[in-house]
Amino acid sequence: MRFRRVLCCLVLPLAAQQDASKDVKKNPAMGNPQAIAAGKTLYMASCVACHGPNGQGGRGPNLRQRIAWHPLEDEALFKTIQKGVPGTDMPPANLPEERLWQMAAFVRSLTAPAIESPAAGDAAAGEALFRGKAGCSHCHRIQGVGGMLGPDLTNIAAIRPMADLRESILDPDADGFPRHKGVTVTLKSGRVVKGVARNRTNYSIQVQDAQGDLHLLRMADVKELTLSGHSPMPRDYKDKLSPEELDNLLAYLSRQSIRPYEAPEKK
Ligand code: HEC
Ligand code: HEC
């Protein structure tokens, strides 16, 4: 009898602990546009110097390319930001938990499909802009309506992270967007390599093909090299759209997914 009672007292706190750790695993800020916006503000204050304004990296790794850092679960990401990476330049962030979750949600939004972390803003106003004044639908279709020159954006939020959507509009030729600079290289041997130009010097060019394989080609072996021109996306949205209009457009685009968006459960 006595033994039993002890056991019961031992088990209870254990169960309680397990429950608490289950709670920690899910980021309460994920998918919450306001929290992600707050996380971005924090990121701009404490992380930008090493990871770059768009997460493209510098002293720290590029946080937009999945291969540049570990695929971390919510909780591990939280701990990395909280504690830093000992023995490296990555410092601990001394912030309250709520702030850390917001920052983790923002970092996650750099690689997660936009539909998982839709932008704050007025999506209906964004749609009006898309179909009206901003002229996006001259070139892009959504749900079967719009032009054909640019890619169909009906499912864009399921395949691109938020940061990519933003960059597509503001800086269509940005370096973060290798897919915009197509290249066809014909070698003297007759071999043809098609893909996207990654690094180019006077002596060599690195081409990534549609399978993702990298080919380092010596210019001495190249017979002909055709770089496709700029992205046909207009270059002046950066100046033409007000910050509010951009937010609204992103709110609209970040909800375009064939599978409907399911809001995370409210806690
Ligand atoms: C002084 C430079 C510096 C600052 C400031 C900094 N980082 Fe880092 N960060 C690094 C370096 C360096 C690494 C790579 C560590 C390693 O080698 O694993 C890193 C790695 C990371 C990783 C990937 C960890 C992994 O396991 O792959 C994340 C996520 C990250 N940083 C987020 C942040 C966030 C969020 C902030 C702001 C709170 C921040 N960093 C501030 C330098 C920095
Ligand atoms: C003159 C035609 C044209 C207009 C106008 C235009 N785009 Fe584009 N857009 C394109 C083309 C072509 C591409 C594909 C090449 C590229 O990725 O740059 C593209 C690419 C994109 C992408 C990236 C698609 C992907 O697969 O990642 C997004 C997002 C986008 N446009 C959004 C917009 C928005 C929002 C507007 C209006 C504010 C707009 N575009 C206006 C032609 C246009």
Side-chain angles (χ1 to χ4, degrees):
M1 268 340 250
R2 220 199 138 128
F3 177 64
R4 252 209 203 144
R5 203 173 302 143
V6 171
L7 195 73
C8 123
C9 300
L10 268 177
V11 167
L12 260 178
L14 255 181
Q17 243 177 13
Q18 255 169 11
D19 255 320
S21 72
K22 234 187 236 157
D23 278 355
V24 174
K25 266 189 195 135
K26 275 263 160 256
N27 185 347
M30 264 306 282
N32 173 338
Q34 281 78 25
I36 292 166
K40 180 172 187 182
T41 306
L42 293 164
Y43 176 94
M44 286 305 185
S46 342
C47 322
V48 70
C50 294
H51 293 286
N54 301 309
Q56 76 276 34
R59 210 171 136 193
N62 180 322
L63 296 178
R64 285 173 60 175
Q65 281 171 4
R66 236 35 211 99
I67 46 165
W69 56 287
H70 300 109
L72 300 174
E73 295 294 329
D74 279 0
E75 192 184 13
L77 180 55
F78 176 95
K79 291 231 166 88
T80 299
I81 298 173
Q82 184 180 43
K83 302 202 153 75
V85 183
T88 76
D89 280 352
M90 172 72 192
N94 192 9
L95 288 167
E97 289 212 350
E98 190 197 356
R99 301 269 173 221
L100 291 168
W101 281 126
Q102 290 171 345
M103 202 126 68
F106 170 70
V107 170
R108 181 72 82 221
S109 77
L110 295 174
T111 53
I115 189 72
E116 286 178 17
S117 49
D122 181 343
E127 175 165 17
L129 260 173
F130 186 90
R131 307 243 179 245
K133 197 181 99 183
C136 317
S137 65
H138 289 152
C139 297
H140 293 286
R141 290 160 86 78
I142 288 186
Q143 307 277 1
V145 183
M148 302 286 269
L149 179 64
D152 187 314
L153 301 179
T154 304
N155 199 37
I156 194 72
I159 57 173
R160 301 269 183 244
M162 199 60 215
D164 285 12
L165 294 182
R166 179 182 293 273
E167 200 170 277
S168 290
I169 299 170
L170 293 183
D171 194 0
D173 288 326
D175 278 351
F177 271 72
R179 69 177 176 275
H180 293 179
K181 288 165 199 151
V183 65
T184 305
V185 185
T186 309
L187 298 175
K188 287 175 181 158
S189 68
R191 189 173 147 227
V192 177
V193 182
K194 272 190 179 185
V196 154
R198 300 303 296 263
N199 287 306
R200 196 178 163 197
T201 69
N202 285 340
Y203 308 104
S204 68
I205 182 167
Q206 212 177 20
V207 179
Q208 185 167 24
D209 66 25
Q211 281 71 45
D213 293 333
L214 282 175
H215 304 266
L216 182 63
L217 308 171
R218 292 196 318 148
M219 287 310 286
D221 298 333
V222 170
K223 189 171 144 212
E224 198 183 331
L225 185 154
T226 321
L227 276 170
S228 76
H230 289 296
S231 163
M233 278 277 291
R235 240 138 286 274
D236 55 358
Y237 284 130
K238 201 167 42 212
D239 311 314
K240 271 199 191 149
L241 296 169
S242 72
E244 196 193 341
E245 286 175 328
L246 179 65
D247 283 351
N248 294 344
L249 258 179
L250 288 172
Y252 174 58
L253 287 181
S254 62
R255 285 168 178 78
Q256 299 313 311
S257 155
I258 288 170
R259 267 188 35 223
Y261 173 61
E262 284 167 31
E265 283 172 50
K266 287 255 147 59
K267 287 241 158 120

